[in-house]
């Protein structure tokens, strides 16, 4: 039996309730004929991630009914209202035992970041100790790659809406920055004004 190649899993954080969007869950926003959650999950798959785990929270039943997410593992985060940190913890927990050696973490509300940028960051994977992030004009952004050796530390530091920010700050010297400004735009869909990006 041949050894399986190193696996980098895709981890899509898609649980937010869109509080600043009047309570419209970001996963269910539409862009170019598809839901944001569908586009983001497909981008991770196209970049080469396997498996792809999608963390759901706000209106998760509606997302399950409406979204076409073939081959994805859907992970419920009942604590989604606590912020992104809880979704990151839930997602990393769901990857344990899958054989994944690293996780490429992406956010559902950044449709300007597609498979090209994701594939570049994925290519920075070397071992379970790898730590890499996309960079846009020298500013660190998403996606972020966490080798499995970092998962426990990331989960412990992931509180509120800060996600992995504190962990990355402490380990900034170890992060391989991968410039993606020529293939991606790191805007967020956070407020009604940001919805212009979806037209």
């Amino acid at each position: 039996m041949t050894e399986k190649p190193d696996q980098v899993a895709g981890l899509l954080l898609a649980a937010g309730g869109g509080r600043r969007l009047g309570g419209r869950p970001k996963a269910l926003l539409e862009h170019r004929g598809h839901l944001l959650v569908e586009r983001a999950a497909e981008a991770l798959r196209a970049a080469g991630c396997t498996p792809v785990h999608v963390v759901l929270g706000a209106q998760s039943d509606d997302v399950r009914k409406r979204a076409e997410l073939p081959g994805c593992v859907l992970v419920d985060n009942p604590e989604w209202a606590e912020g992104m940190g809880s979704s990151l913890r839930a997602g990393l927990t769901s990857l344990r035992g899958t054989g994944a050696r690293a996780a490429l973490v992406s956010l559902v509300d950044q449709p300007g970041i597609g498979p090209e940028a994701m594939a570049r960051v994925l290519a920075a994977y070397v071992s379970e100790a790898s730590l890499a992030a996309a960079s846009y004009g020298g500013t660190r952004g998403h996606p972020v790659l966490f080798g499995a050796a970092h998962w426990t530390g990331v989960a412990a530091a992931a509180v509120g809406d800060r996600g992995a920010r504190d962990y990355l700050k402490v380990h900034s010297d170890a992060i391989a920055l991968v410039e993606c400004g020529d293939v991606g735009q790191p805007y967020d869909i956070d407020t009604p004004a940001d919805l212009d990006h979806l037209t």
Side-chain angles (χ1 to χ4, degrees):
M1 183 171 146
T2 58
E3 187 176 341
K4 287 177 73 175
D6 291 330
Q7 282 188 313
V8 176
L11 180 54
L12 177 60
L13 305 186
R19 180 173 42 85
R20 287 182 282 175
L21 287 168
R24 298 169 65 189
K26 296 178 182 182
L28 292 174
L29 295 175
E30 290 194 28
H31 182 42
R32 297 178 183 167
H34 295 279
L35 301 179
L36 286 191
V37 68
E38 293 171 340
R39 290 179 60 87
E42 178 53 35
L44 284 166
R45 288 163 58 95
C49 292
T50 179
V52 173
H53 285 212
V54 181
V55 181
L56 303 178
Q59 295 185 29
S60 61
D61 288 345
D62 288 341
V63 177
R64 286 175 181 272
K65 286 176 191 169
R66 291 180 54 193
E68 294 184 21
L69 298 166
C72 293
V73 176
L74 305 184
V75 180
D76 282 312
N77 174 19
E79 300 173 348
W80 65 267
E82 293 180 10
M84 190 196 308
S86 65
S87 291
L88 185 54
R89 292 195 307 271
L92 291 175
T93 297
S94 75
L95 288 174
R96 295 192 184 280
T98 63
R101 306 283 181 88
L104 187 67
V105 180
S106 185
L107 307 180
V108 76
D109 66 346
Q110 294 189 318
I113 299 174
E116 297 87 355
M118 294 177 183
R120 281 192 190 174
V121 180
L122 185 151
Y125 169 78
V126 177
S127 72
E128 292 190 7
S130 292
L131 193 58
S135 175
Y136 300 90
T139 300
R140 192 184 76 231
H142 284 87
V144 180
L145 184 139
F146 296 104
H150 296 280
W151 293 359
T152 298
V154 169
V159 294
D161 262 329
R162 296 187 63 79
R165 201 174 303 159
D166 292 340
Y167 187 88
L168 292 170
K169 187 175 180 181
V170 171
H171 296 85
S172 59
D173 290 346
I175 302 172
L177 290 179
V178 182
E179 182 56 45
C180 294
D182 60 321
V183 294
Q185 297 177 295
Y187 58 81
D188 299 304
I189 307 298
D190 280 334
T191 68
D194 296 330
L195 293 173
D196 288 345
H197 287 295
L198 301 182
T199 57

